[in-house]
């Protein structure tokens, strides 16, 4: 990973509207809403990216592996190269290595796939470290216990929402960052760096609100699928990922109508 290249905004009518809103000084939420509308097809296309599908498989499967008495063996069965008693850093590193491997082997890997991988590592680290007694004092047993709590409906619902919130925010930032970086300074859209930071906060809040629907359906889907299939393979991950992205884009579309 690490080869992502930030390009200029696509020259489509919807993205031209985004640029116009930025230049005209439209409210932050309107700019984010217009960006979400413009990025809709890109977000939906991620459902077919093998790195995204693998990230979703790990999202669903790592918590389940934490239920096993031998957590390390459970993770290795997921193609994660970890030792006998893995800690948080080792699990995150192994996950990134696995996603990198999928990217190298795929002929359909995209920048959105890399965003999916980065967002997964971010979510995994944040979701687990937040509940550890202390990041550097935590034992492998502490890490397993926190991850195990994510393997039940309430936990997987929050974990899934956090992941898709990070992914959508990263996807919008991917297109917007270069354009917005040119809009900082006197007589520009953002008069200061702190004002630009406020926009980033608004973007994260917007995507968090739009991904609430994931938390509402993920737990039920997870429990039903686990009961029927007993595991989460690539097929189940692709179904879950595609449905989640569709629900998110529908939610973003509704918010776009409300915010313009």
């Amino acid at each position: 990973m690490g080869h992502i290249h930030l390009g200029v905004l696509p020259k489509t009518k919807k993205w031209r509207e985004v640029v116009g809103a930025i230049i005209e000084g439209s409210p932050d939420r309107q700019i984010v809403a217009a960006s979400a509308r413009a990025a809709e097809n890109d977000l939906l296309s991620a459902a077919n990216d093998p790195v995204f599908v693998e990230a979703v498989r790990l999202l669903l499967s790592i918590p389940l592996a934490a239920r096993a008495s031998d957590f390390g063996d459970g993770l290795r069965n997921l193609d994660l190269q970890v030792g006998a008693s893995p800690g948080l850093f080792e699990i995150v590193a192994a996950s990134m290595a696995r996603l990198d491997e999928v990217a190298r082997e795929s002929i359909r890997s995209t920048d959105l796939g890399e965003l999916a991988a980065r967002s997964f590592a971010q979510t995994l680290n944040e979701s687990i470290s937040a509940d550890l007694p202390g990041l550097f004092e935590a034992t492998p047993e502490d890490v397993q216990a926190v991850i195990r709590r994510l393997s039940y409906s309430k936990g997987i619902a929050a974990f899934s929402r956090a992941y898709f919130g990070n992914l959508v925010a990263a996807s919008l930032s991917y297109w917007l960052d270069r354009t917005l970086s040119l809009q900082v300074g006197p007589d520009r859209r953002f008069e200061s760096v702190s004002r630009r930071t406020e926009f980033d906060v608004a973007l994260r809040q917007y995507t968090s609100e739009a991904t609430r629907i994931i938390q509402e359906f993920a737990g039920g889907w997870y429990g039903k699928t686990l009961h029927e299939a007993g595991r989460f393979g690539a097929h189940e991950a692709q179904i879950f990922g595609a449905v989640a992205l569709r629900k998110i884009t529908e939610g973003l579309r509704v918010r776009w109508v409300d915010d313009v």
Side-chain angles (χ1 to χ4, degrees):
M1 294 279 173
H3 54 272
I4 195 167
H5 298 291
L6 183 65
V8 297
L9 286 174
K11 296 180 180 180
T12 64
K13 180 177 183 294
K14 291 179 181 178
W15 280 114
R16 288 198 299 272
E17 291 173 352
V18 174
V19 175
I22 293 171
I23 295 174
E24 292 168 6
S26 299
D28 291 349
R29 286 184 67 89
Q30 288 189 13
I31 296 174
V32 176
S35 302
R37 176 174 179 253
E40 181 176 315
N41 289 337
D42 289 318
L43 287 172
L44 289 173
S45 71
N48 296 316
D49 188 287
V51 179
F52 167 76
V53 173
E54 180 67 0
V56 174
R57 184 183 76 92
L58 295 178
L59 176 86
L60 299 169
S61 300
I62 289 177
L64 188 60
R67 294 188 189 181
S69 57
D70 190 334
F71 186 31
D73 188 56
L75 292 175
R76 288 188 292 276
N77 287 336
L78 299 178
D79 301 314
L80 300 182
Q81 301 305 309
V82 297
S85 301
L88 175 57
F89 294 139
E90 185 176 359
I91 295 170
V92 173
S95 298
M96 287 302 291
R98 171 59 185 162
L99 294 172
D100 197 14
E101 178 184 17
V102 172
R104 290 195 306 270
E105 294 176 349
S106 174
I107 60 174
R108 292 184 296 156
S109 180
T110 66
D111 279 355
L112 277 174
E114 180 158 347
L115 292 174
R118 292 183 179 184
S119 297
F120 178 71
Q122 175 187 356
T123 307
L124 186 62
N125 183 61
E126 291 175 345
S127 298
I128 299 170
S129 61
D131 290 330
L132 290 175
L135 188 56
F136 294 103
E137 296 79 13
T139 66
E141 291 74 22
D142 292 328
V143 173
Q144 181 178 357
V146 171
I147 297 177
R148 185 188 297 117
R149 290 200 290 270
L150 299 177
S151 72
Y152 300 96
S153 293
K154 185 177 179 180
I156 205 69
F159 193 34
S160 298
R161 180 183 179 181
Y163 171 66
F164 283 99
N166 285 334
L167 176 58
V168 174
S171 298
L172 298 185
S173 295
Y174 168 76
W175 292 118
L176 286 172
D177 275 352
R178 176 167 293 184
T179 295
L180 293 179
S181 67
L182 300 176
Q183 296 295 327
V184 178
D187 301 321
R188 297 186 181 181
R189 176 66 175 78
F190 307 108
E191 66 274 13
S192 65
V193 173
S194 62
R195 179 64 188 87
R196 165 63 204 278
T197 300
E198 291 176 7
F199 176 87
D200 293 336
V201 172
L203 186 151
R204 291 307 304 260
Q205 180 179 358
Y206 193 94
T207 55
S208 177
E209 293 169 359
T211 53
R212 182 179 295 115
I213 192 171
I214 301 304
Q215 189 159 349
E216 295 172 356
F217 101 95
W221 181 94
Y222 177 88
K224 180 176 183 294
T225 303
L226 181 59
H227 175 73
E228 294 176 350
R231 60 186 289 274
F232 299 100
H235 175 68
E236 290 79 16
Q238 187 166 32
I239 291 174
F240 180 77
V243 172
L245 289 171
R246 187 172 69 248
K247 286 181 176 293
I248 290 170
T249 54
E250 289 171 356
L252 288 170
R253 195 180 306 129
V254 170
R255 289 188 175 278
W256 178 80
V257 173
D258 291 339
D259 288 318
V260 294

